[in-house]
Amino acid sequence: MTDTTRPPVPKGAENLAKQGIDVLISTLHNSADPAFRRYAAYLLGNARTPLAIRPLIEAFGDLDKSVRQQAILALVATGKAATEPLADAMKDPKWETRYRAAEALGKLADEKAIKPLVQGLRDNRDHVRYMAAKGLTDLKDSTAIDPLIILLKDDNRFVRTMAVRALSAIGGENAKTALRDALANENDEKVKEAMNEALK
């Protein structure tokens, strides 16, 4: 089975996999080469150690997008031990950190991710509300229905669309009734399209 999360091994980093956790964390934080930082994040995820969780969350602030994405994948690889630290990261002052924490929580198959994601639906940043709704789409927990219904009136059409998809994924009569009511008042054609698709 191919490891789809594995990045290319950068030239000169061939021995990095043989190094200890401290060296990997130092590389993740301090290497000037984003390819090295990304590979270090991957190796930390493979190590599946709680010691890597905080450094990987800190990597959400990396200037390179590929490093940030690899940190998310590494946290998911770490498993349920990452849930609580990621829930704490949902309270970070930086919206970018909250956004990426929501993305990682959504990928973890852990019911303990539901509460912080539901709280994320009330975030003051639309990016975070969107990603929290997306995460709940995968987790499909009925306790998220009422908070998601509120998002059907969100100012941001992308947030509304993701709330529609989440409610459709969770299902149930309450979700369908809310979608029908929201459809009657929706003006955006793309959102209406998503609502009609959900109600089929």
Side-chain angles (χ1 to χ4, degrees):
M1 186 175 168
T2 305
D3 183 357
T4 55
T5 69
R6 184 188 179 103
V9 181
K11 189 175 180 180
E14 292 84 4
N15 290 323
L16 199 56
K18 298 174 186 172
Q19 304 300 315
I21 296 298
D22 289 345
V23 173
L24 294 176
I25 290 170
S26 178
T27 303
L28 176 64
H29 282 168
N30 302 318
S31 176
D33 187 340
F36 270 70
R37 299 197 303 276
R38 183 182 174 190
Y39 188 51
Y42 167 76
L43 292 172
L44 285 166
N46 263 14
R48 289 174 172 77
T49 170
L51 295 174
I53 294 171
R54 180 53 51 193
L56 286 167
I57 290 173
E58 288 166 359
F60 287 172
D62 197 283
L63 294 175
D64 188 277
K65 183 179 181 180
S66 72
V67 178
R68 299 193 299 266
Q69 283 303 120
Q70 195 68 53
I72 289 170
L73 292 171
L75 284 158
V76 174
T78 301
K80 293 184 178 182
T83 304
E84 195 171 324
L86 284 167
D88 288 341
M90 289 290 291
K91 302 166 192 167
D92 194 273
K94 293 180 181 175
W95 72 263
E96 296 93 340
T97 298
R98 301 195 305 274
Y99 173 79
R100 290 172 194 122
E103 183 174 356
L105 283 167
K107 294 175 186 294
L108 283 168
D110 187 356
E111 62 182 21
K112 290 181 181 173
I114 294 162
K115 186 176 178 181
L117 285 172
V118 167
Q119 289 170 344
L121 298 176
R122 297 192 291 270
D123 198 276
N124 59 12
R125 188 77 186 206
D126 51 12
H127 295 71
V128 181
R129 297 195 301 276
Y130 171 91
M131 192 56 75
K134 186 176 182 182
L136 290 163
T137 303
D138 295 328
L139 290 164
K140 297 181 176 67
D141 189 272
S142 61
T143 59
I145 289 177
D146 287 346
L148 283 164
I149 287 171
I150 293 169
L151 284 196
L152 294 174
K153 295 181 180 178
D154 197 274
D155 291 339
N156 185 296
R157 69 186 181 100
F158 296 104
V159 175
R160 296 200 303 279
T161 301
M162 190 51 71
V164 170
R165 288 181 184 152
L167 286 165
S168 176
I170 296 167
E173 201 50 49
N174 285 354
K176 284 190 174 180
T177 300
L179 286 168
R180 285 192 206 97
D181 292 346
L183 178 59
N185 297 304
E186 180 59 60
N187 296 316
D188 187 282
E189 289 304 318
K190 288 286 184 186
V191 183
K192 285 166 81 169
E193 191 178 308
M195 287 173 168
N196 280 315
E197 185 65 30
L199 287 166
K200 279 182 181 176

